[in-house]
Amino acid sequence: MSAPVQLGALTLGTPVMLAPMAGVTNPPFRQLCREAGESGLKAAGYTWQECPGTFAPAGLWVCEMVTTRALVERNVETMNMIKPDPGDPVRSIQLYGVEPKTTAEAVRILVAENRADHIDLNFGCPAPKVTRKGGGSALPWKTDLFEDLTQAAVRASEEASRDRDFVVPVTAKVRIGVDDGHTTFLDAARIAEDSGIVGLTLHARTTAQHYSGHAHWDRIGELTAATSLPVLGNGDVFEVEDAKAIMEQTGCRGVAVGRGCQGRPWLFHDLAAFYHGSEHRASPRLSEVAAIIVRHAELSIDHFNGDEHRALRELRKHMAWYLRGFSVGGSARNALALVSTLDELRERLAELGDQPYPEAAEGPRGRAGSPKQPHLPDGWLDSRELSEAQRAKIALAEVNVSGG
């Protein structure tokens, strides 16, 4: 049985995090993942009790990335995004920002208004629209800005938590660096720890790699050896065997899973069962997957306030992921990708019949793409500190659209 992971006042009973993914990890999908994780606990015969602070028995289910400016401006879509999975004991939100004051205010809102029990800071996003403004995985290169921002976030949480029973913990997600010649993860870990950050997730790729190639798990081992903070390893965790291997090879305390769970929330059943000593695996039949898809649709309709058309439109991206490996013809797949009502979805799924879970459904999934030249502000790599011109522009780098 794996030991719990302590992140400040937060205890992870199962050392697993659902990594935030734009347009994917909304409340309906997070609920499916959480319920799958809890079913894995039950399969392992694991029972849990309340702990001081907050306790996440089956894992941590993190909201898709929310931008600090959009939150501070109370953007309607952003406020809908931070709605919690109602059954989640730990409301976890990931923030993206580049300006310390705005980040601090966003943290204050989440904590003082009792909207979150855990906050993760995003320094791992490699998207050009983010890095070209100095944000995401580009930001830790500027050590002074990284320090100012992490300190501001932690201080804001501590101050806003005075009326709560515990200090809302702040963690951070980072990448190895901009590219192989400009690594940042070790400096970021040192600064984060000094700032009061209580845990780190390392996606073991550079910005230049994007999601291509293989994750460099050896760098997770370097980070684990260099910091006293709990480290979660991220990158190429697609199966229980990957989670086991990454922890054995690197000494990290747990894993963060992104692309590996796309269309496969039951992966968290398998991980929870494994971490608590059971070999039970979900392996759902096609009819069971169809039932999960319908439940996903029903939860989405509720999340989007009864807007069935929007809910089904949002579900379409998940359809190919759910059906991966099953013998489902192209015409059936195309029809499912165009459904617009719950009744139509049920009808199309009923036409598929039933099949056992296929071996082809296992393994890597999600788009890997190819390496990309990092998009950065002019002169960004000339120094590890902000120039006066860069500091003057940094507030302009804030974006008011959430979701990555």
Side-chain angles (χ1 to χ4, degrees):
M1 181 178 293
S2 181
V5 176
Q6 201 67 40
L7 301 172
L10 168 62
T11 304
L12 291 186
T14 305
V16 172
M17 175 191 288
L18 168 62
M21 290 176 283
V24 177
T25 57
N26 62 8
F29 186 70
R30 296 202 307 274
Q31 182 170 342
L32 291 174
C33 293
R34 175 182 59 79
E35 291 174 349
E38 291 174 356
S39 73
L41 296 184
K42 293 174 182 176
Y46 177 74
T47 58
W48 59 92
Q49 297 176 339
E50 291 298 322
C51 293
T54 53
F55 181 54
L60 198 57
W61 320 105
V62 189
C63 174
E64 56 188 312
M65 186 178 81
V66 170
T67 66
T68 54
R69 178 179 165 189
L71 183 60
V72 170
E73 293 180 351
R74 299 183 186 267
N75 175 279
V76 173
E77 186 63 26
T78 295
M79 301 310 287
N80 191 50
M81 285 171 60
I82 65 172
K83 284 182 180 177
D85 156 14
D88 195 344
V90 177
R91 298 160 300 169
S92 178
I93 294 176
Q94 188 183 74
L95 289 178
Y96 158 79
V98 295
E99 203 280 316
K101 290 183 179 179
T102 308
T103 298
E105 178 59 16
V107 170
R108 189 200 65 75
I109 289 172
L110 291 175
V111 177
E113 297 181 8
N114 193 24
R115 295 177 181 270
D117 306 301
H118 162 250
I119 294 169
D120 189 56
L121 301 178
N122 182 294
F123 302 108
C125 182
K129 68 177 182 179
V130 168
T131 60
R132 70 163 50 99
K133 295 185 176 183
S137 56
L139 193 147
W141 178 255
K142 297 298 187 182
T143 53
D144 53 346
L145 177 59
F146 183 79
E147 181 175 32
D148 289 346
L149 198 150
T150 52
Q151 286 183 352
V154 171
R155 189 181 310 115
S157 180
E158 291 173 344
E159 293 174 354
S161 294
R162 288 173 180 167
D163 293 330
R164 299 183 62 163
D165 295 334
F166 59 92
V167 174
V168 172
V170 181
T171 59
K173 181 176 183 179
V174 299
R175 283 194 172 225
I176 294 171
V178 176
D179 53 35
D180 290 338
H182 301 86
T183 62
T184 57
F185 70 109
L186 293 177
D187 287 333
R190 173 183 53 80
I191 295 169
E193 187 167 4
D194 290 344
S195 297
I197 297 293
V198 297
L200 294 169
T201 300
L202 176 61
H203 185 149
R205 287 182 170 89
T206 62
T207 304
Q209 277 186 275
H210 213 69
Y211 296 97
S212 68
H214 295 288
H216 299 286
W217 287 359
D218 57 315
R219 293 305 184 99
I220 298 173
E222 286 183 51
L223 180 59
T224 300
T227 182
S228 63
L229 294 178
V231 174
L232 300 183
N234 179 219
D236 297 348
V237 178
F238 299 107
E239 307 291 345
V240 165
E241 290 71 22
D242 298 326
K244 180 180 179 182
I246 195 172
M247 293 182 70
E248 289 178 346
Q249 292 176 28
T250 70
C252 67
R253 296 295 307 280
V255 296
V257 180
R259 292 174 298 150
C261 70
Q262 290 178 346
R264 191 167 52 169
W266 54 85
L267 176 59
F268 292 105
H269 169 104
D270 297 353
L271 289 169
F274 160 71
Y275 279 119
H276 295 282
S278 171
E279 295 183 1
H280 190 272
R281 302 293 179 264
S283 303
R285 298 179 64 85
L286 180 55
S287 58
E288 294 172 304
V289 172
I292 293 171
I293 294 173
V294 170
R295 177 159 169 73
H296 193 160
E298 292 170 340
L299 292 172
S300 294
I301 292 170
D302 183 61
H303 173 66
F304 290 113
N305 302 312
D307 188 339
E308 188 172 1
H309 182 71
R310 179 175 180 184
L312 271 294
R313 188 173 69 246
E314 291 286 333
L315 184 62
R316 290 172 183 172
K317 70 169 75 73
H318 296 263
M319 211 66 72
W321 297 332
Y322 274 123
L323 298 176
R324 175 181 162 161
F326 287 101
S327 296
V328 176
S331 60
R333 290 177 184 271
N334 290 338
L336 281 163
L338 296 173
V339 295
S340 56
T341 69
L342 186 58
D343 286 342
E344 184 183 1
L345 175 66
R346 289 193 176 109
E347 181 180 342
R348 295 284 179 264
L349 289 172
E351 294 169 353
L352 299 182
D354 199 14
Q355 301 170 28
Y357 190 65
E359 186 176 334
E362 303 294 328
R365 54 177 56 207
R367 293 182 179 179
S370 57
K372 304 178 188 296
Q373 181 67 32
H375 293 253
L376 303 168
D378 291 340
W380 193 254
L381 297 179
D382 292 348
S383 168
R384 295 302 303 271
E385 296 183 350
L386 287 171
S387 67
E388 288 304 313
Q390 289 166 344
R391 187 173 294 279
K393 291 181 178 179
I394 203 66
L396 300 178
E398 289 285 345
V399 293
N400 64 352
V401 178
S402 297

